[in-house]
């Protein structure tokens, strides 16, 4: 909640802006903990901040392995490296999974919004065969989807609520560590410290 | 050891070649498990394969947090996304830490080789203040290093020995899962399977 913008969010918005000519500037790596206790790491796409907050949205398929992993351990770290400005954001936090069965109508609305905001091409992926399962040849690969259709069952929204951000600028050789704590009225407060790169 | 090249290594060498015009094509994200049990994720630089093997080398500073993390849990996953060819390699394996106190003379030699192969600029970083600690202003920031000097104490080599590689090509929409097992004579054998992207 709160009207104050997290201080690292301004840096991140600036980095996104100055790297926006690169298609891959909205891609980052999301690390979670695998069911076998080993780290798991994959590239995902930034789908915006949740309205008026510093929470980061990611679309994914409920059938991917990361869903089970996050259910088992909800903590994750984003590593977002901007290849043009040489800036890195390591964003650590807890992930909330919003699928079609979520009992909260507000969350379902947010999920629907994220579905509507995605391209028809990326929507069609959720109708494809089960990700990670062996590829069966000869299966029909033609799907169609009316653009007005709401989110399909496999569509799922991940919302990462950051509680620590480690910012590194390799051009200026500056590093800032942002740490949050909850104030008495439950509002998230950020402090920052300059640390050695 | 064995003379057969891991099948995913050929794909990786090809991806490195076709993205070599981009400076950041040798950067990837390394996920480990933090001491608090949460995922940890940062960008590091590929420093080559260990001679005649599929083991991946990374230089780092012994004073960084990842060293303690890897000592506590040696498993890691590399996520290497090639921004020009749209290929992703998720490389899961176990990391061996080689610092200056390693009792194995062969490993010390490999560490020395990696030190010699790095630039004077990157060598100087290991003489800087303790990474991650609060920045003290006004400290002298001038160091010098004779180019013939061997590895300094803080210099450390990480060697990741892969046992699973998940390859994804977003242009052809192909995904291959490479899995290793040890044969009866202790040699690593790879099998691959085509899975749904």
């Amino acid at each position: 909640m709160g009207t104050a913008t997290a201080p690292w969010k301004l840096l991140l918005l600036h980095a996104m802006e100055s790297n926006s000519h690169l298609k891959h500037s909205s891609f980052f790596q999301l690390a979670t903990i695998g069911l076998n206790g080993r780290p798991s790491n994959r590239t995902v796409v930034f789908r915006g901040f949740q309205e008026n907050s510093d929470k980061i949205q990611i679309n994914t398929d409920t059938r991917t392995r990361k869903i089970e992993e996050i259910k088992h351990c909800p903590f994750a770290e984003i590593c977002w490296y901007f290849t043009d400005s040489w800036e890195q954001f390591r964003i650590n936090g807890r992930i909330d999974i919003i699928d079609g069965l979520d009992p909260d109508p507000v969350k379902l609305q947010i999920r629907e919004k994220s579905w509507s905001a995605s391209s028809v091409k990326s929507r069609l992926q959720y109708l494809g065969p089960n990700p990670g399962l062996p590829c069966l040849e000869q299966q029909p690969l033609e799907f169609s989807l009316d653009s007005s259709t709401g989110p399909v069952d496999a569509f799922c929204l991940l919302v990462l609520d950051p509680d620590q951000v480690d910012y590194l600028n390799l051009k200026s050789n500056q590093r800032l560590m942002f740490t949050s704590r909850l104030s008495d009225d439950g509002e998230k407060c950020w402090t920052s410290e300059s640390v050695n790169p």
Side-chain angles (χ1 to χ4, degrees), chain A residues 114-186:
Chain A
S114 198
W115 169 265
S116 308
S118 47
S119 68
V120 172
K121 198 187 160 212
S122 60
R123 287 185 210 179
L124 279 173
Q125 287 185 317
Y126 296 93
L127 296 177
N130 205 321
L133 289 195
C135 219
L136 303 171
E137 314 276 351
Q138 259 79 291
Q139 61 188 339
L141 283 164
E142 287 303 311
F143 303 101
S144 71
L145 201 56
D146 194 284
S147 66
S148 66
T149 309
V152 298
D153 287 350
F155 180 78
C156 175
L157 183 66
L158 303 179
V159 182
L160 185 138
D161 188 2
D163 53 31
Q164 188 175 281
V165 178
D166 183 345
Y167 168 75
L168 177 65
N169 186 318
L170 286 176
K171 285 190 180 166
S172 66
N173 213 27
Q174 273 194 308
R175 185 175 170 190
L176 291 169
M177 184 70 78
F178 297 92
T179 313
S180 71
R181 59 172 185 82
L182 288 182
S183 69
D184 294 340
D185 56 354

Side-chain angles (χ1 to χ4, degrees), chain A residues 41-148:
Chain A
N41 205 5
R42 79 286 284 159
T43 307
V44 294
V45 181
F46 175 71
R47 301 290 183 179
F49 289 102
Q50 196 169 298
E51 232 170 56
N52 300 318
S53 81
D54 55 12
K55 293 181 184 173
I56 290 171
Q57 298 189 156
I58 300 156
N59 294 342
T60 194
D61 192 307
T62 51
R63 302 168 297 172
T64 58
R65 219 167 43 194
K66 59 175 137 356
I67 295 298
E68 269 189 283
E69 293 178 357
I70 295 165
K71 281 182 180 165
H72 192 252
C73 169
F75 297 104
E77 187 158 276
I78 287 170
C79 183
W80 199 344
Y81 182 69
F82 290 91
T83 58
D84 202 38
S85 63
W86 299 12
E87 291 167 284
Q88 174 181 265
F89 293 80
R90 297 173 60 180
I91 305 172
N92 204 299
R94 175 190 268 270
I95 288 185
D96 188 23
I97 302 173
I98 310 180
D99 61 22
L101 301 171
D102 203 289
D104 183 339
V106 176
K107 289 187 181 177
L108 285 180
Q109 220 170 11
I110 295 172
R111 171 174 174 265
E112 211 158 319
K113 223 169 164 177
S114 198
W115 169 265
S116 308
S118 47
S119 68
V120 172
K121 198 187 160 212
S122 60
R123 287 185 210 179
L124 279 173
Q125 287 185 317
Y126 296 93
L127 296 177
N130 205 321
L133 289 195
C135 219
L136 303 171
E137 314 276 351
Q138 259 79 291
Q139 61 188 339
L141 283 164
E142 287 303 311
F143 303 101
S144 71
L145 201 56
D146 194 284
S147 66
S148 66

